[in-house]
Protein backbone atom coordinates (compact mmCIF):
# COMPACT_ATOMS: atom_id res chain seq x y z
CA UNK A 1 0.00 0.00 0.00
CA UNK A 2 1.20 3.48 -0.87
CA UNK A 3 1.52 6.12 1.84
CA UNK A 4 1.70 9.82 1.08
CA UNK A 5 4.12 11.69 3.32
CA UNK A 6 4.45 15.45 3.78
CA UNK A 7 7.58 17.44 4.45
CA UNK A 8 7.91 21.20 4.10
CA UNK A 9 6.68 22.03 0.57
CA UNK A 10 6.52 18.44 -0.65
CA UNK A 11 4.06 15.56 -0.70
CA UNK A 12 5.79 12.33 -1.62
CA UNK A 13 5.55 8.54 -1.80
CA UNK A 14 8.59 6.47 -0.89
CA UNK A 15 11.84 7.77 0.54
CA UNK A 16 12.18 11.55 0.81
CA UNK A 17 15.72 11.44 -0.62
CA UNK A 18 14.56 9.57 -3.75
CA UNK A 19 10.75 9.57 -3.85
CA UNK A 20 8.83 7.29 -6.22
CA UNK A 21 6.30 10.09 -6.62
CA UNK A 22 6.31 13.73 -5.55
CA UNK A 23 4.21 16.85 -5.72
CA UNK A 24 5.69 20.22 -4.83
CA UNK A 25 3.92 23.37 -3.74
CA UNK A 26 4.76 26.96 -2.92
CA UNK A 27 3.12 28.73 0.04
CA UNK A 28 1.67 32.07 -1.06
CA UNK A 29 0.61 34.59 1.52
CA UNK A 30 -1.06 33.41 4.71
CA UNK A 31 -3.75 31.21 3.25
CA UNK A 32 -2.83 29.82 -0.18
CA UNK A 33 -0.57 27.17 -1.65
CA UNK A 34 0.30 26.77 -5.32
CA UNK A 35 0.78 23.20 -6.54
CA UNK A 36 3.44 23.65 -9.19
CA UNK A 37 4.72 20.18 -10.06
CA UNK A 38 3.68 16.53 -9.89
CA UNK A 39 5.97 13.67 -10.85
CA UNK A 40 5.34 9.91 -10.67
CA UNK A 41 7.97 7.29 -11.52
CA UNK A 42 7.10 4.70 -14.15
CA UNK A 43 6.73 1.91 -11.57
CA UNK A 44 3.78 3.72 -9.92
CA UNK A 45 2.09 5.10 -13.05
CA UNK A 46 -1.54 4.17 -13.43
CA UNK A 47 -1.90 3.22 -9.76
CA UNK A 48 -3.44 6.47 -8.53
CA UNK A 49 -0.28 7.82 -6.88
CA UNK A 50 -0.74 11.32 -8.30
CA UNK A 51 -4.36 11.52 -7.22
CA UNK A 52 -3.39 10.28 -3.73
CA UNK A 53 -0.95 13.19 -3.40
CA UNK A 54 -3.61 15.69 -4.53
CA UNK A 55 -5.99 14.17 -1.94
CA UNK A 56 -3.29 14.62 0.72
CA UNK A 57 -2.86 18.27 -0.33
CA UNK A 58 -6.63 18.82 -0.10
CA UNK A 59 -6.67 17.30 3.40
CA UNK A 60 -3.72 19.50 4.40
CA UNK A 61 -5.46 22.59 3.01
CA UNK A 62 -8.69 21.83 4.88
CA UNK A 63 -6.86 21.19 8.17
CA UNK A 64 -4.83 24.40 7.85
CA UNK A 65 -7.56 26.65 6.41
CA UNK A 66 -5.75 27.17 3.12
CA UNK A 67 -6.83 27.41 -0.51
CA UNK A 68 -5.07 25.62 -3.37
CA UNK A 69 -4.11 27.08 -6.73
CA UNK A 70 -3.36 24.09 -9.00
CA UNK A 71 -0.90 25.47 -11.59
CA UNK A 72 0.41 21.97 -12.32
CA UNK A 73 -1.62 20.57 -15.27
CA UNK A 74 -1.98 17.16 -13.60
CA UNK A 75 -3.24 18.60 -10.31
CA UNK A 76 -5.61 20.90 -12.21
CA UNK A 77 -7.06 17.92 -14.10
CA UNK A 78 -7.69 16.09 -10.81
CA UNK A 79 -9.49 19.16 -9.41
CA UNK A 80 -11.53 19.48 -12.61
CA UNK A 81 -12.69 15.84 -12.29
CA UNK A 82 -13.32 15.86 -8.52
CA UNK A 83 -16.26 18.09 -7.43
CA UNK A 84 -15.71 17.31 -3.74
CA UNK A 85 -12.34 19.13 -3.87
CA UNK A 86 -13.85 22.43 -5.08
CA UNK A 87 -14.10 23.85 -1.54
CA UNK A 88 -10.32 24.35 -1.34
CA UNK A 89 -9.92 26.13 -4.67
Amino acid sequence: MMTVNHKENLFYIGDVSSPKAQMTYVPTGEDKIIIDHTEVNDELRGQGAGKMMVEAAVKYARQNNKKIIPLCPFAKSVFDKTPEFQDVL
Side-chain angles (χ1 to χ4, degrees):
M1 178 169 147
M2 290 184 279
T3 303
V4 178
N5 300 295
H6 182 222
K7 180 182 179 193
E8 292 175 15
N9 300 343
L10 176 71
F11 291 94
Y12 65 96
I13 295 171
D15 182 39
V16 69
S17 60
S18 60
K20 294 180 180 180
Q22 63 182 340
M23 184 175 72
T24 58
Y25 68 90
V26 179
T28 305
E30 294 286 307
D31 61 348
K32 291 186 181 74
I33 64 172
I34 297 171
I35 296 175
D36 58 355
H37 182 72
T38 305
E39 189 176 322
V40 177
N41 287 1
D42 289 340
E43 67 183 279
L44 291 184
R45 277 193 209 276
Q47 297 180 41
K51 185 172 182 186
M52 284 177 63
M53 291 186 295
V54 174
E55 288 169 349
V58 168
K59 184 176 179 184
Y60 169 81
R62 287 175 178 153
Q63 289 172 341
N64 293 279
N65 202 25
K66 297 195 183 290
K67 296 291 184 184
I68 295 175
I69 302 167
L71 289 188
C72 161
F74 173 81
K76 180 167 180 2
S77 75
V78 172
F79 276 96
D80 289 346
K81 295 177 201 162
T82 315
E84 58 268 30
F85 291 172
Q86 302 305 306
D87 63 303
V88 297
L89 288 178

